[in-house]
Amino acid sequence: MRRTVTRLADGREIVYFDDTPGAPARTAKDTRDLPPFHPGSEIRRDPLTDEWVAMAAHRQTRTYKPPVETCPLCPSQPGRPTEIPESSYDVVVFENRFPSFSHTNGDGFAPTIVDGMDMVPRAPGNGRCEVVCFTSNHNSSFGELSVPRIRTVVDVWADRTEAMSALPYVAQVFPFENRGEEIGVTLSHPHGQIYGYPFITPRTERMLEVASAYHDKHGRPVMGDVLAAERAVGTRVIETSAHWTAFVPAAARWPVEVHVVPHRQVPDLPALTSAERDDFADLYSRVLKHLDSLYDRPLPYIAAWHQAPVREGRDLAWLHLEVFSVLRTKDKLKYLAGSESGMAVWINDVTPEAVAERLRNAS
């Protein structure tokens, strides 16, 4: 794989990852007249939950459901420059033009408090947000990628995780993909994102607390025991391979939810071996085919990588991918209503066992 780093017109970094033999050199210049890249965001600590909340008002003006002919993630064409200056690409990553977090937020903005309230600290929304375009084909999807291309994307995720982890203001790296309008996607081109958070996310904090308590009590990692039990029972297993198992968790929150877990405890994507990356690409391709066959239509989903924080909890975390959907039937959505949104108590409309059986039979 060839890696080429360059800059967009406003100074944002863009990185091309080429796996096609004989792919052209990436020398195209961004010809757009863009204003300087100075997004503004901050984070505030909620005194009732002790969780950070990001404020990024500049994102109100981000691109919203453009027609295909003006898609900013397609390759540039004569007279129509986009976020990607080249006329074609394999996989490309660039800094988000409308980021929730960016290191430029720290310029001249020292940590303080909100309106004299000592219990509500505020700080610059330092971090990094990147866009990952999986293919230049606007009408494709991740599930339609070849296994070798999925393998390239795994290497890209690992590359960017390493790069972001080296930034002193990033505490956790989160690669993810949103797919489908029902999920809230506003750009239909096949793409994902990577967030470099300036704090450890609440979900990860809680999972590490549970993992620590379980290890103290049993002397073993909780994910390892969950994985062994799911593989032994097999009722909820969707796909398995030499290095990975995909299963519907026994306490699934979402109407469609699959966890893809490596058989070896590793903290993050860079820690995967070449064989584990190859194996994941093949297995995940099969999992996505099951998902898209479930309702005989493209499944809207979120695919979220759970990685260890950059500087703590790395001996407790167990890398895994969580793929879930809000679609509970072919034409009905699962809404996060009062119990889920108000109290964080999830109520699932289907049993994990029933969903697992349907997914295994969907192909």
Side-chain angles (χ1 to χ4, degrees):
M1 182 177 68
R2 190 183 70 206
R3 185 179 184 275
T4 307
V5 182
T6 184
R7 294 278 173 179
L8 296 173
D10 55 3
R12 287 176 293 138
E13 186 177 56
I14 181 169
V15 188
Y16 296 92
F17 297 87
D18 288 301
D19 57 24
T20 301
R26 303 307 182 182
T27 58
K29 301 298 182 183
D30 185 1
T31 60
R32 297 172 297 172
D33 183 17
L34 297 178
F37 180 60
H38 292 301
S41 65
E42 65 177 81
I43 55 175
R44 300 181 181 187
R45 193 83 168 179
D46 183 341
L48 301 183
T49 64
D50 204 30
E51 296 174 356
W52 287 103
V53 179
M55 311 290 169
H58 64 277
R59 286 174 51 80
Q60 282 280 39
T61 60
R62 66 187 184 274
T63 308
Y64 184 80
K65 295 184 179 180
V68 175
E69 59 270 19
T70 60
C71 173
L73 306 185
C74 285
S76 291
Q77 301 299 324
R80 192 178 74 81
T82 70
E83 288 281 67
I84 298 98
E86 293 288 338
S87 60
S88 67
Y89 61 84
D90 289 344
V91 180
V92 67
V93 177
F94 59 89
E95 288 184 78
N96 198 322
R97 189 177 175 187
F98 304 97
S100 300
F101 306 97
S102 173
H103 187 45
T104 60
N105 296 305
D107 298 340
F109 179 17
T112 180
I113 58 177
V114 175
D115 294 334
M117 300 172 64
D118 292 339
M119 74 292 292
V120 188
R122 61 197 291 259
N126 283 336
R128 188 174 173 101
C129 293
E130 298 182 339
V131 177
V132 184
C133 295
F134 308 128
T135 171
S136 60
N137 184 352
H138 181 92
N139 297 314
S140 186
S141 68
F142 200 109
E144 294 178 275
L145 299 179
S146 67
V147 171
R149 174 55 55 81
I150 294 176
R151 174 65 163 82
T152 297
V153 174
V154 175
D155 285 342
V156 170
W157 285 329
D159 177 282
R160 303 318 300 157
T161 295
E162 284 189 307
M164 286 195 189
S165 297
L167 300 174
Y169 46 85
V170 168
Q172 182 179 340
V173 181
F174 174 50
F176 63 98
E177 180 196 1
N178 297 336
R179 189 244 189 137
E181 285 196 24
E182 296 92 338
I183 292 296
V185 172
T186 56
L187 293 175
S188 58
H189 193 106
H191 73 288
Q193 299 183 65
I194 306 177
Y195 274 25
Y197 294 102
F199 49 78
I200 299 174
T201 64
R203 181 80 183 274
T204 300
E205 278 190 337
R206 179 58 180 153
M207 291 175 71
L208 290 176
E209 289 172 1
V210 171
S212 179
Y214 190 92
H215 194 276
D216 287 347
K217 183 175 181 179
H218 301 282
R220 301 184 303 274
V222 60
M223 179 60 89
D225 281 2
V226 167
L227 178 62
E230 291 289 2
R231 285 173 56 82
V233 175
T235 309
R236 290 171 294 274
V237 172
I238 307 303
E239 287 282 355
T240 189
S241 63
H243 299 286
W244 298 79
T245 295
F247 59 90
V248 179
R253 291 170 167 80
W254 300 94
V256 181
E257 182 177 342
V258 176
H259 292 188
V260 186
V261 183
H263 297 167
R264 182 174 68 98
Q265 183 179 12
V266 295
D268 54 19
L269 287 154
L272 293 173
T273 65
S274 180
E276 287 168 332
R277 298 182 191 195
D278 288 342
D279 200 36
F280 170 83
D282 183 67
L283 178 134
Y284 191 42
S285 178
R286 301 199 305 271
V287 168
L288 290 175
K289 286 178 173 60
H290 288 300
L291 293 174
D292 276 350
S293 299
L294 181 62
Y295 299 128
D296 195 28
R297 56 158 291 188
L299 186 76
Y301 64 75
I302 294 174
W305 279 106
H306 292 272
Q307 303 195 95
V310 174
R311 299 173 190 89
E312 57 185 273
R314 298 184 63 79
D315 58 330
L316 293 169
W318 191 305
L319 172 76
H320 63 284
L321 179 66
E322 178 184 5
V323 187
F324 58 92
S325 178
V326 296
L327 206 62
R328 58 187 178 90
T329 71
K330 187 172 184 177
D331 56 2
K332 294 179 181 178
L333 294 177
K334 162 69 175 179
Y335 292 105
L336 300 190
S339 186
E340 291 88 358
S341 296
M343 288 289 106
V345 176
W346 292 75
I347 302 169
N348 203 337
D349 300 304
V350 293
T351 65
E353 295 73 24
V355 172
E357 183 176 5
R358 290 171 60 194
L359 282 172
R360 280 194 300 269
N361 295 331
S363 60

